[in-house]
């Protein structure tokens, strides 16, 4: 069964460093998303991406964050100058269309120390 | 008022019992309703997807949506210990983002 793949599964970084989280969405999907879940809290929307541009972003997704689809298969989330409060699980998701369900990856656990 | 409200539980039931989960919401624009299952430190796994009001059944799972009451439910029949997980409701309107509930932690006792 096709699945969304995320790497790495766990990333530890020092405060102030830049990290890139990687995702391979399901191959025929056109819509891509990043969500995050701080430990013990709700899953929160960060950004959606369609047709090589951001289609929607939340207030969390400020200038510290950026997304990119560098080739036909990968979708990345870059976090610049990481802060302690960026520590969370980051989930990539993809969907075939706007009106159908989104499938999530297993997540990258980011720990900022 | 929170956009999506979900009782975090925890909920503990004996094996074979019916598990009843629900969410309420305030945004009348929501049209697409989903239930995800999440195991500890794993990604949400889609269980059920419904559009607008009505019922949908898939094996032991039944999802109900009542848009007039802004209330959605998930029922799990003949619950198994392997059903022990956190269940998340999620919903969206015609935009791109999913709004999630806080999740209900369910334990099915053998």
């Amino acid at each position: 069964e096709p699945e969304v793949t995320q790497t790495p599964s766990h990333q530890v970084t020092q405060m102030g460093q830049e990290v890139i989280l990687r995702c391979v969405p399901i191959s025929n999907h056109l819509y891509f998303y990043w969500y995050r879940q701080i430990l013990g809290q709700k899953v929160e929307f960060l950004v959606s991406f369609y047709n090589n541009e951001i289609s929607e972003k939340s207030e969390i997704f400020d200038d510290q964050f950026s997304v990119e689809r560098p080739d036909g298969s990968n979708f990345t989330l870059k976090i610049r100058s990481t802060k302690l409060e960026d520590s969370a699980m980051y989930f990539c998701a993809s969907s075939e269309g706007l009106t159908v369900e989104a499938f999530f990856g297993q997540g990258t656990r980011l720990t900022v120390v | 008022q929170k956009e999506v409200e979900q009782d975090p539980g925890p909920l503990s039931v004996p094996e074979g019992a019916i598990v009843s989960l629900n969410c309420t919401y305030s945004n009348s624009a929501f049209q697409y309703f989903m239930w995800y299952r999440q195991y500890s430190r794993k990604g949400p796994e889609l269980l059920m997807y419904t559009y607008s009001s009505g019922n949908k059944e898939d094996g032991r799972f039944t999802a109900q949506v009542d848009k007039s009451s802004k209330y959605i439910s998930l029922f799990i029949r003949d619950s198994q210990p392997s059903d022990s997980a956190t269940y998340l409701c999620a919903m969206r309107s015609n935009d791109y983002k999913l709004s999630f509930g806080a999740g209900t932690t369910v334990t099915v006792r053998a």
Side-chain angles (χ1 to χ4, degrees):
Chain A
E1 186 174 325
E3 60 180 14
V4 177
T5 306
Q6 290 186 244
T7 55
S9 57
H10 187 197
Q11 173 92 47
V12 181
T13 190
Q14 290 207 323
M15 194 167 51
Q17 296 297 303
E18 175 181 288
V19 294
I20 297 176
L21 310 182
R22 301 180 192 280
C23 170
V24 179
I26 295 172
S27 62
N28 64 332
H29 286 189
L30 302 176
Y31 295 80
F32 314 115
Y33 316 87
W34 284 101
Y35 287 79
R36 81 171 183 192
Q37 186 176 31
I38 295 170
L39 188 63
Q41 297 187 24
K42 283 186 180 186
V43 177
E44 301 174 289
F45 171 79
L46 292 178
V47 67
S48 60
F49 192 85
Y50 169 71
N51 201 25
N52 281 320
E53 61 183 22
I54 290 174
S55 45
E56 188 174 355
K57 60 183 181 179
S58 71
E59 61 275 8
I60 302 168
F61 194 89
D62 58 20
D63 292 343
Q64 187 192 2
F65 296 88
S66 62
V67 289
E68 192 177 32
R69 187 155 164 82
D71 54 44
S73 60
N74 290 284
F75 180 51
T76 61
L77 174 69
K78 182 187 291 185
I79 310 175
R80 287 179 283 275
S81 190
T82 50
K83 304 186 284 262
L84 295 176
E85 54 265 38
D86 294 327
S87 296
M89 286 287 283
Y90 288 82
F91 295 110
C92 174
S94 68
S95 65
E96 194 173 348
L98 189 57
T99 59
V100 296
E101 58 270 53
F103 293 88
F104 283 73
Q106 291 300 294
T108 293
R109 182 155 60 103
L110 176 66
T111 302
V112 182
V113 297
Chain B
Q1 183 181 12
K2 291 181 183 176
E3 195 169 46
V4 181
E5 302 251 23
Q6 183 178 8
D7 185 342
L11 187 62
S12 180
V13 300
E15 185 174 357
I18 295 175
V19 176
S20 174
L21 305 167
N22 59 77
C23 290
T24 59
Y25 61 95
S26 58
N27 187 346
S28 57
F30 286 147
Q31 296 187 56
Y32 305 94
F33 304 92
M34 282 138 274
W35 285 95
Y36 287 87
R37 178 172 61 197
Q38 187 178 31
Y39 295 110
S40 180
R41 296 184 179 268
K42 298 294 185 184
E45 173 194 359
L46 181 68
L47 287 176
M48 300 289 282
Y49 171 81
T50 52
Y51 169 68
S52 198
S53 283
N55 293 359
K56 185 174 183 179
E57 191 171 315
D58 184 0
R60 296 184 295 113
F61 298 91
T62 299
Q64 291 183 348
V65 174
D66 182 349
K67 289 189 73 179
S68 62
S69 303
K70 297 190 180 67
Y71 186 91
I72 70 170
S73 303
L74 178 72
F75 301 96
I76 308 173
R77 290 183 298 282
D78 187 25
S79 57
Q80 304 295 310
S82 58
D83 295 326
S84 299
T86 297
Y87 290 82
L88 311 173
C89 64
M91 48 199 79
R92 52 182 284 271
S93 58
N94 281 323
D95 59 12
Y96 295 88
K97 73 165 194 177
L98 281 173
S99 295
F100 280 84
T104 301
T105 300
V106 174
T107 301
V108 180
R109 308 186 305 273

